[in-house]
Amino acid sequence: MSELSQSRTAVAAPRRSSGLFGIDLASPKHANKLGYLLLAPAALLILAILVYPMLLAIDISFHDVKFATLSFGASEYTLANYQKLFSSPDFWNAIRVTGQLLLVVTTISMAVGMGTALLVNQQFRGRSFARMLIALPWAIPEVVAVVTWVWILDASFGVLNWILIKIGLVGGPVSWFSSPGTAFSAVTMVMVWKGYPFISIMILAGLQSIPEEYYQAAKVDGANVFQRFFWVTIPCIAPVLGVTLILTVLWVFRDFSIIYVLTGGGPVGATETLAIMTYEEAFNFFRMGYASSIGVVTLIICAVISAFLVKKTSHAIY
Amino acid sequence: MNRTLPQSILLYTTLVVVICILLFPVYWMVITSLAPSNALRSFPPQFWPQNPQWQTYTNLIFNTDMPRWLMNSALVAVVATGISMLVSVLAAYSLSRYTMKGGEAVGLFILMSKMLPATMLIIPLFGIFRNLGLMGSLWSLIIAHATAIVPFATWMLKGYFDSIPQELEQAAQVDGCTPWGALFRVILPVSAPGLAATALYGFVLSWADYLYARTFLANAAGNWTANVGIATFKGEYQTDWNVIMAASLLAALPIMIAYLFLQRYLVGGLTAGAGK
Amino acid sequence: MAEIQIQNLNKSYGAFHALKDMSLHIADGEFVVFVGPSGCGKSTALKILAGLEAASTGRIMIGGEDVTDLAPGKRDIAMVFQNYALYPHLTVRQNIGFGLKMRGATKKEIDERVERAAQALEITDFLERRPRALSGGQRQRVALGRAIVREPRLFLMDEPLSNLDAALRVQMRAEITALQRRIGTTTIYVTHDQTEAMTMADRIVIMRKGVVQQIGSPDELFNHPANIFVAGFIGSPAMNFIRGTVIDERGSLAVDAGGFRLPISVDLAAAASAYVGKEIICGIRPESLELAAAGQPALEVVPSLIESLGNEAYVHFRMPGRQFAVAVAGEHEHEASSSGTLIARLFDGDRPQAGQTVRLGLKANSSVHLFDPATEKAIS
């Protein structure tokens, strides 16, 4: 070891570089400056492409503009858009449709997601392959999924009608997109199909994080399979369920592509959610101010719902 | 696991039935794409193609705009992801390692921005892009996609960086690295899988978009992305479902491949920033 | 190799004062251990020395050079971390050579030095492996290798042994000490384990809540603790503290602890005379107690538990109303109050039975430590 010390002068001390503007950002004194520097590009970008547009949208919603303007306060401030909105039957219809869809889609996809997660959480050969297959619809782009379902639901040659007739559930072919009830069912089907894989993946991750000892302890205490599910599984995955529920609700609330490509909101507004209505008002009728006011209301409802769910579910953990 | 034979049979039967039902649309997409046109109008439908029509695909690739649309999708996804990753990596690292005044507020805003309805955000973006003359250009799409990718990537990456012990870059600094050098020589190589997963996820987000693409590119058919193309096919080729399904499959394929790689990291991505 | 000067070092996080006015001079080649319970400021002090955190006020000199605002990489120091912090994406060879590479050493030189360091630590066989393929002890050696290969002026070690199992810890403890003696590099070692501090240090700096309690050699700290905290922290099992009153028995001072009479040694008499008739805290090391011979002044106790270790036995007992609980030993202050029992450490001899009355007396020539109950400082 003594020979180690002979060569110690051989390695030069690192350069005494002075970094940016003569400030050595490596010095402990300046560490936080580097933190700001690293955050700056993202902060500026977000300011430009998220904050500014958002404020603009809120501003537009208080103006009577037909086309999006870029200057704040271009014309007189007015509450006309909101007054019109709250007295419009279309708006209340959209609220009702969105609410119904939220309830139905969330409930069914949570059930399917939970069921599939429990299924592939079992131990069996080929489990990882099964897990991959079960959540595969996640990897199908929404537009692709919708187009595929339109073909499956086709009134004349759709395979679903053939199956339903074959097993005697319906007398003749169903024209899915021409009546409000069936159109709503079609939207529900596609949304559940696109929505359950996410829930399944999340719940499965939650299930896997439960220590096996909990189940062994419950067995020792004499709990049967249902008791173990309700007293071990559910409480353990409650936080995961909470997060999943919030994200699913937000998705259903704001999703555009599925409904727009599938039904366009029709027939007669049966599937027109707030998101569809916003888009239609903005880009079909070019009532940008009015559309923005719907967007603002959507944003507020989203915020309220998530705040409520966060409160509820974080409560459920304890 | 000690399971009796009947239990095993029950489990496997359930599995097969459930998977068959849930994946039927995917199966149907593949089968339809290979079926001859006349078979599409047969009742009962054909569940297995007698003679697969591969020329549907060759036709699609050589005689339609589909390859171009796929290229556009890829181009937008790669550039949008690249730019987003560049700023997100730095921001995520900063949020993970430094305690700064205002840093938390920025982090929180990024998180809250996930709640912005895209159908609302698109209105001011439309105006901005029109004024900048970006309408119909792929740049409009790249910027719009960055609004979604940056917040999500920042939170996902912050999660990865949080899981890397801080001592690692402290050691690097003691070893003579600048903080910058520690990030590039140690932290980034160590988080390579996380970076790859985040980038892949960003790619998926961009690729799956329809809202922005159909709005900003409506009048520039040459710049369409695959999703816009397919949605239009649906209107144009009313009955040529084999063509539409083949195109759909091509558009879904990159994401399905990404999914195979992403599986392990999916939960981190899906919940980025949703926890605490 | 260099001497270290720490001058009035302070560190605050907002209102929290993590390090209060620390001053210390470390001689070239010295092995100094910072010891104390968690939150005592020892790690903060080390991080400031490394340049990983900025000092609020104060100055650090290494080899006469002011390094207070210098980047960690420019201080010519090396650090060993508790979790080793090996670069997972580099091989052992690259890990050890990383610092040299950053300093622009040639490839040949790096290879030679890594080779030498690896030999010294007996890790030559793993040079091409990655850290994740190594055992805890091997990782520890690589971390040491990364430190010694650069031959820095100062080694900083942050609880380097706490992730090892007990047997390996004892072995590595000896190896690190031997290594440091051999290469003679000034070393600052942080630990919460008083045994490590006692066995390894030339000098110990014992800290609590950001304040240095006492600086001295292991023997000094053991024999002349400056206050109740130091007395209770150093030594295992911890010192017993009993409340008593100083009495004057015709010129010779003693402590009366509920009928148990403890003589005060001559050298403490002068200082203790001010406390006659007042309450005082006596500190008695467990090994100072023995089974009392008949007729000898003794404390009659009923042991609550007797732990036999073969060649010795720990007798746990209580003195209701007399005990003075000090929560000190161990990593966390609060978890250490040792359930409030007192302990006598008996060597060979008889084993008393739990539940039977035992007469404990003070060994001849053993010292009783005296502390002021208000200030908790030693009376001497």
Side-chain angles (χ1 to χ4, degrees):
Chain A
M1 256 343 256
S2 59
E3 64 270 37
L4 259 174
S5 45
Q6 287 160 11
S7 53
R8 88 161 299 277
T9 47
V11 177
R15 290 173 297 124
R16 300 257 153 140
S17 68
S18 42
L20 206 67
F21 311 122
I23 297 171
D24 182 1
L25 287 170
S27 161
K29 237 170 59 181
H30 302 299
N32 269 0
K33 295 198 178 70
L34 184 68
Y36 285 112
L37 206 63
L38 293 172
L39 193 56
L44 290 178
L45 188 70
I46 284 168
L47 217 57
I49 65 175
L50 271 171
V51 179
Y52 171 65
M54 185 186 78
L55 296 178
L56 204 56
I58 294 172
D59 184 73
I60 293 171
S61 78
F62 287 104
H63 292 289
D64 180 24
V65 275
K66 296 279 173 268
F67 235 81
T69 49
L70 286 176
S71 47
F72 286 93
S75 56
E76 227 173 297
Y77 279 92
T78 168
L79 286 173
N81 289 326
Y82 290 95
Q83 282 163 352
K84 182 177 163 199
L85 185 63
F86 289 121
S87 58
S88 151
D90 287 350
F91 170 71
W92 294 108
N93 175 59
I95 292 265
R96 189 183 52 81
V97 170
T98 312
Q100 280 176 349
L101 204 62
L102 209 60
L103 207 67
V104 177
V105 171
T106 311
T107 311
I108 302 178
S109 34
M110 282 297 257
V112 177
M114 172 76 92
T116 48
L118 287 172
L119 191 60
V120 292
N121 192 43
Q122 305 293 319
Q123 292 198 355
F124 56 89
R125 208 186 294 249
R127 180 166 70 159
S128 49
F129 184 63
R131 283 180 182 172
M132 191 271 286
L133 286 182
I134 214 101
L136 188 66
W138 179 86
I140 310 291
E142 287 186 347
V143 170
V144 171
V146 170
V147 170
T148 309
W149 275 92
V150 168
W151 166 226
I152 290 173
L153 296 172
D154 190 84
S156 334
F157 305 105
V159 65
L160 187 66
N161 274 344
W162 180 81
I163 293 172
L164 290 180
I165 291 167
K166 200 77 185 158
I167 55 178
L169 272 182
V170 291
V174 183
S175 184
W176 289 93
F177 301 110
S178 47
S179 82
T182 50
F184 189 85
S185 313
V187 168
T188 305
M189 263 188 271
V190 181
M191 286 202 103
V192 167
W193 192 70
K194 265 307 282 173
Y196 88 85
F198 161 74
I199 298 168
S200 183
I201 293 166
M202 293 284 290
I203 293 180
L204 182 62
L207 291 174
Q208 286 176 289
S209 68
I210 304 175
E212 184 58 27
E213 287 78 10
Y214 288 12
Y215 289 105
Q216 290 164 351
K219 271 186 208 168
V220 171
D221 286 342
N224 65 31
V225 73
F226 296 105
Q227 286 168 325
R228 290 204 295 273
F229 179 75
F230 282 108
W231 296 105
V232 178
T233 311
I234 292 293
C236 281
I237 61 171
V240 175
L241 284 177
V243 171
T244 312
L245 187 65
I246 293 169
L247 293 175
T248 307
V249 165
L250 285 178
W251 169 68
V252 177
F253 215 96
R254 299 173 310 166
D255 189 74
F256 165 80
S257 306
I258 291 180
I259 302 174
Y260 191 80
V261 181
L262 199 61
T263 65
V268 289
T271 56
E272 179 155 302
T273 59
L274 287 170
I276 300 295
M277 188 179 171
T278 314
Y279 191 83
E280 288 283 299
E281 289 295 339
F283 296 102
N284 244 357
F285 308 117
F286 293 103
R287 292 192 279 250
M288 297 291 183
Y290 185 50
S292 294
S293 68
I294 309 172
V296 171
V297 171
T298 311
L299 176 61
I300 292 171
I301 297 176
C302 276
V304 170
I305 291 182
S306 8
F308 173 75
L309 287 178
V310 165
K311 215 171 178 182
K312 270 276 177 225
T313 51
S314 63
H315 208 73
I317 302 167
Y318 301 106
Chain B
M1 198 80 196
N2 33 16
R3 199 181 280 120
T4 61
L5 185 66
Q7 279 175 325
S8 288
I9 293 172
L10 183 68
L11 177 68
Y12 279 105
T13 317
T14 317
L15 261 171
V16 169
V17 171
V18 167
I19 288 178
C20 281
I21 293 174
L22 292 177
L23 292 193
F24 179 76
V26 181
Y27 173 79
W28 202 236
M29 178 161 53
V30 177
I31 293 308
T32 307
S33 76
L34 293 173
S37 303
N38 55 10
L40 298 176
R41 261 157 297 231
S42 66
F43 229 64
Q46 289 186 8
F47 284 90
W48 188 253
Q50 259 78 42
N51 48 342
Q53 305 287 303
W54 296 102
Q55 67 267 32
T56 309
Y57 283 92
T58 49
N59 239 332
L60 203 57
I61 291 169
F62 294 108
N63 301 328
T64 69
D65 282 334
M66 194 61 197
R68 186 160 176 197
W69 296 336
L70 285 170
M71 278 303 294
N72 287 338
S73 281
L75 196 69
V76 169
V78 166
V79 177
T81 306
I83 294 174
S84 304
M85 285 296 282
L86 220 58
V87 298
S88 297
V89 164
L90 302 183
Y93 183 69
S94 172
L95 289 174
S96 166
R97 291 301 199 254
Y98 295 93
T99 44
M100 299 166 291
K101 267 185 214 135
E104 218 163 282
V106 174
L108 209 64
F109 180 81
I110 292 177
L111 190 59
M112 298 304 283
S113 73
K114 293 174 85 169
M115 235 181 303
L116 279 178
T119 42
M120 168 186 164
L121 195 63
I122 196 173
I123 296 170
L125 286 180
F126 184 81
I128 293 171
F129 292 153
R130 215 166 38 110
N131 274 27
L132 295 176
L134 289 176
M135 206 51 73
S137 134
L138 290 182
W139 280 107
S140 62
L141 216 49
I142 290 168
I143 297 170
H145 290 177
T147 63
I149 302 175
V150 170
F152 135 79
T154 304
W155 273 96
M156 185 166 172
L157 287 169
K158 181 182 178 294
Y160 281 110
F161 291 147
D162 284 347
S163 72
I164 296 173
Q166 212 162 349
E167 282 83 359
L168 223 52
E169 68 251 51
Q170 293 181 343
Q173 288 190 41
V174 171
D175 265 344
C177 288
T178 58
W180 192 254
L183 173 61
F184 279 87
R185 285 174 183 276
V186 177
I187 300 304
L188 292 189
V190 168
S191 40
L195 292 178
T198 310
L200 211 50
Y201 206 116
F203 184 91
V204 172
L205 279 186
S206 171
W207 186 279
D209 166 65
Y210 172 69
L211 169 66
Y212 291 118
R214 81 146 253 136
T215 310
F216 298 149
L217 306 179
N219 299 321
N223 279 346
W224 280 3
T225 60
N227 283 337
V228 180
I230 287 166
T232 318
F233 269 167
K234 182 196 148 210
E236 272 174 29
Y237 294 73
Q238 288 284 352
T239 46
D240 290 335
W241 282 106
N242 53 343
V243 180
I244 301 175
M245 287 299 104
S248 295
L249 200 65
L250 288 181
L253 216 53
I255 307 302
M256 295 214 259
I257 293 167
Y259 168 71
L260 294 183
F261 289 105
L262 266 176
Q263 254 208 309
R264 270 177 57 208
Y265 302 96
L266 219 47
V267 174
L270 293 171
T271 54
K276 304 132 225 178
Chain C
M1 278 144 251
E3 57 168 356
I4 317 294
Q5 296 262 20
I6 300 172
Q7 294 167 355
N8 306 98
L9 210 55
N10 277 283
K11 177 70 183 179
S12 310
Y13 300 98
F16 176 63
H17 210 157
L19 195 61
K20 288 179 195 151
D21 221 28
M22 181 186 200
S23 289
L24 177 67
H25 176 254
I26 300 172
D28 186 9
E30 209 175 357
F31 195 116
V32 172
V33 174
F34 291 0
V35 71
S38 70
C40 74
K42 57 189 192 295
S43 293
T44 306
L46 199 73
K47 285 212 172 101
I48 295 172
L49 279 165
L52 296 170
E53 270 184 48
S56 300
T57 61
R59 208 149 72 112
I60 300 161
M61 316 271 287
I62 300 179
E65 178 195 11
D66 187 342
V67 299
T68 317
D69 290 331
L70 217 51
K74 296 175 184 170
R75 297 185 176 203
D76 196 12
I77 53 169
M79 187 156 173
V80 178
F81 293 86
Q82 178 171 6
N83 58 7
Y84 316 136
L86 301 179
Y87 311 123
H89 61 301
L90 301 180
T91 63
V92 169
R93 181 187 296 280
Q94 291 166 327
N95 259 282
I96 298 177
F98 188 78
L100 295 171
K101 195 173 155 197
M102 289 303 105
R103 284 170 166 70
T106 63
K107 187 156 187 328
K108 183 164 158 283
E109 191 180 355
I110 295 175
D111 280 347
E112 278 172 22
R113 286 182 160 219
V114 169
E115 213 59 60
R116 254 182 295 158
Q119 270 163 24
L121 290 160
E122 296 166 18
I123 48 174
T124 314
D125 292 346
F126 327 123
L127 278 178
E128 307 311 326
R129 286 201 205 160
R130 288 190 198 257
R132 88 173 65 84
L134 301 180
S135 71
Q138 290 164 343
R139 287 178 201 188
Q140 172 68 69
R141 284 164 191 274
V142 177
L144 284 171
R146 196 166 63 178
I148 66 168
V149 76
R150 288 206 336 257
E151 293 158 40
R153 298 188 287 187
L154 171 64
F155 285 151
L156 301 174
M157 305 198 184
D158 188 7
E159 309 228 11
L161 301 182
S162 55
N163 282 3
L164 299 177
D165 63 54
L168 202 53
R169 202 179 308 164
V170 173
Q171 185 199 335
M172 285 308 293
R173 201 163 76 192
E175 282 194 37
I176 290 177
T177 319
L179 185 72
Q180 196 269 343
R181 297 276 135 80
R182 217 162 53 207
I183 54 181
T185 305
T186 315
T187 301
I188 299 175
Y189 185 107
V190 161
T191 180
H192 64 266
D193 180 349
Q194 63 92 23
T195 317
E196 269 176 37
M198 293 296 279
T199 50
M200 301 176 85
D202 293 327
R203 264 199 308 160
I204 295 175
V205 177
I206 180 164
M207 303 172 72
R208 181 196 198 188
K209 293 179 180 164
V211 180
V212 172
Q213 302 290 308
Q214 192 174 1
I215 302 174
S217 70
D219 285 350
E220 261 172 71
L221 260 57
F222 188 84
N223 294 323
H224 304 289
N227 56 36
I228 290 185
F229 173 78
V230 177
F233 195 87
I234 301 290
S236 174
M239 189 184 275
N240 300 306
F241 296 101
I242 305 169
R243 291 174 198 278
T245 315
V246 179
I247 49 170
D248 188 344
E249 295 179 322
R250 280 158 282 130
S252 71
L253 295 180
V255 177
D256 174 38
F260 185 38
R261 191 185 152 281
L262 297 156
I264 294 175
S265 61
V266 189
D267 46 322
L268 291 180
S273 61
Y275 289 85
V276 173
K278 291 184 191 158
E279 200 192 52
I280 204 166
I281 310 283
C282 295
I284 307 165
R285 294 226 175 260
E287 50 273 27
S288 298
L289 293 169
E290 61 179 359
L291 291 181
Q296 198 191 333
L299 178 65
E300 293 201 350
V301 298
V302 181
S304 55
L305 170 70
I306 293 171
E307 295 173 308
S308 176
L309 281 76
N311 61 337
E312 54 182 309
Y314 296 162
V315 177
H316 295 249
F317 62 95
R318 288 171 190 279
M319 289 181 74
R322 287 281 159 198
Q323 282 169 215
F324 181 79
V326 222
V328 277
E331 186 175 2
H332 302 288
E333 288 208 24
H334 56 268
E335 76 186 21
S337 53
S338 66
S339 68
T341 65
L342 302 173
I343 298 179
R345 188 179 181 189
L346 305 180
F347 296 92
D348 9 82
D350 301 325
R351 291 280 184 276
Q353 298 293 308
Q356 284 180 353
T357 305
V358 172
R359 298 182 71 243
L360 293 171
L362 200 63
K363 269 186 194 164
N365 304 326
S366 58
S367 52
V368 173
H369 301 266
L370 300 180
F371 302 94
D372 184 301
T375 64
E376 302 202 348
K377 288 210 170 95
I379 298 167
S380 61

